[in-house]
């Protein structure tokens, strides 16, 4: 099976006004291009010899498609964990990372998304209680979506203020990326199709930390590169979830935005 879908225009989406008269011709053309390309690909393929397994695939800002065989995901996740562990060990041996620093950094990674989730849940429930969110979608959602994202930013800033003095830049970096690697390992095991969201930034963090050495702490590129990778992969998805699922998903969006922005805590 193949599924092609588009979302948007919440004033009509899933309403009686969601009809042919309001279809965007560009969307129809896009669907036609996709369907024709799919038919041509299957027409040229040897369907008697299908691929041996599934693939993990994702696009990069709609510019290109990257993929790897799903069976490699666990190996990539293990490699990311080993790289980050090796970088963490080097920092510990250099005397710039203590166990308590690592513990505070790991705690910060947990607190920021939890705080964002709680704040966003409280705000959306309060708005629903006063009748501001009568349906799954509201016509003018820009302010609501912006508020949810800013709650995530606030959660990260508060967490940085509370924990960074205790963890330091090194503890925040190691604690954050070790957690990313652990979650990536679990995703590669249970949901390999989504594992790239954690594996690619984690691999970037580990490789950058081991490749570009600095005195006493991870070099700036070890923090900046995975931030960019995480943002490029996560933000296009997170920015479309409200259009797809409605306001009930916004607390989860806030938590995931905080998770991604939390990669910037070592620099804060």
């Amino acid at each position: 099976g193949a599924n092609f879908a588009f979302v948007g225009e919440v004033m009509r989406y899933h309403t009686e006004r969601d009809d042919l008269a309001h279809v965007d011709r560009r969307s129809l053309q896009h669907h036609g291009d996709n369907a024709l390309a799919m038919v041509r690909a299957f027409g040229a393929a040897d369907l008697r010899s299908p691929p041996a397994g599934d693939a993990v695939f994702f696009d990069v800002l709609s510019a290109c498609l990257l993929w790897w065989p799903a069976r490699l995901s666990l190996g990539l996740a293990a490699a990311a964990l080993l790289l980050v562990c090796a970088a963490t060990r080097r920092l510990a041996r250099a005397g710039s990372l203590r166990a308590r620093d690592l513990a505070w950094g790991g705690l910060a990674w947990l607190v920021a998304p939890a705080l964002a989730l709680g704040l966003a849940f409280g705000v959306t429930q309060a708005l629903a209680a006063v009748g501001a969110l009568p349906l799954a979608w509201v016509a003018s959602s820009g302010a609501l979506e912006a508020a949810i994202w800013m709650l995530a930013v606030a959660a990260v800033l508060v967490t940085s203020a509370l924990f960074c003095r205790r963890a330091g830049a090194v503890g925040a970096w190691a604690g954050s990326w070790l957690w990313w690697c652990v979650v990536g390992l679990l995703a590669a095991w249970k949901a390999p199709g989504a594992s790239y969201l954690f594996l690619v930034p984690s691999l970037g963090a580990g490789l950058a930390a081991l490749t570009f050495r600095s005195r006493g702490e991870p070099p700036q590129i070890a923090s900046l590169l995975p931030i960019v990778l995480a943002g490029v992969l996560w933000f296009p998805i997170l920015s479309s979830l409200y259009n797809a699922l409605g306001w009930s998903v916004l607390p989860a969006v806030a938590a995931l935005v905080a998770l991604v922005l939390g990669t910037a805590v070592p620099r804060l």
Side-chain angles (χ1 to χ4, degrees):
N3 174 38
F4 297 108
F6 56 86
V7 297
E9 296 294 337
V10 294
M11 289 180 285
R12 289 187 285 270
Y13 189 50
H14 286 303
T15 73
E16 61 184 10
R17 299 178 66 218
D18 197 353
D19 54 26
L20 291 176
H22 293 97
V23 170
D24 190 317
R25 290 177 179 267
R26 295 170 298 178
S27 295
L28 283 178
Q29 183 65 53
H30 197 177
H31 276 311
D33 292 341
N34 286 336
L36 180 59
M38 181 184 69
V39 170
R40 285 174 171 166
F42 281 128
D46 182 5
L47 300 182
R48 295 167 299 181
S49 301
D54 292 332
V56 175
F57 59 93
F58 56 96
D59 73 281
V60 180
L61 300 178
S62 299
C64 64
L65 189 72
L66 302 179
W67 69 276
W68 62 73
R71 63 181 180 274
L72 298 182
S73 295
L74 270 175
L76 291 173
L81 181 58
L82 288 174
L83 287 170
V84 172
C85 284
T88 301
R89 182 171 180 270
R90 174 188 290 175
L91 293 168
R93 292 183 65 182
S96 56
L97 177 64
R98 297 168 299 178
R100 66 180 183 182
D101 300 334
L102 184 60
W104 282 113
L107 186 59
W109 188 89
L110 294 169
V111 168
L115 180 59
L117 177 69
L119 290 172
F121 181 80
V123 167
T124 53
Q125 291 302 309
L127 290 173
V130 299
L133 300 174
L135 299 171
W137 293 272
V138 292
S140 301
S141 62
L144 174 62
E145 293 183 81
I148 294 301
W149 282 63
M150 292 310 295
L151 285 174
V153 173
V156 171
L157 293 176
V158 168
T159 303
S160 298
L162 291 175
F163 292 97
C164 274
R165 286 185 180 178
R166 296 178 174 90
V170 178
W173 182 91
S176 173
W177 286 110
L178 284 172
W179 269 119
W180 271 77
C181 290
V182 169
V183 176
L185 197 62
L186 292 174
W189 176 36
K190 289 294 187 180
S195 62
Y196 73 92
L197 291 166
F198 293 93
L199 297 189
V200 174
S202 299
L203 285 168
L207 287 170
L210 289 176
T211 303
F212 300 94
R213 300 190 180 191
S214 67
R215 296 178 181 176
E217 67 177 64
Q220 287 197 10
I221 192 170
S223 297
L224 298 177
L225 175 63
I227 293 170
V228 173
L229 292 174
V232 166
L233 295 179
W234 279 92
F235 287 157
I237 298 173
L238 297 178
S239 63
S240 65
L241 284 183
Y242 169 78
N243 278 339
L245 300 173
W247 66 262
S248 62
V249 78
L250 289 177
V253 170
L256 292 172
V257 170
L259 181 73
V260 176
L261 293 179
T263 59
V265 166
R267 297 265 62 88
L268 297 175

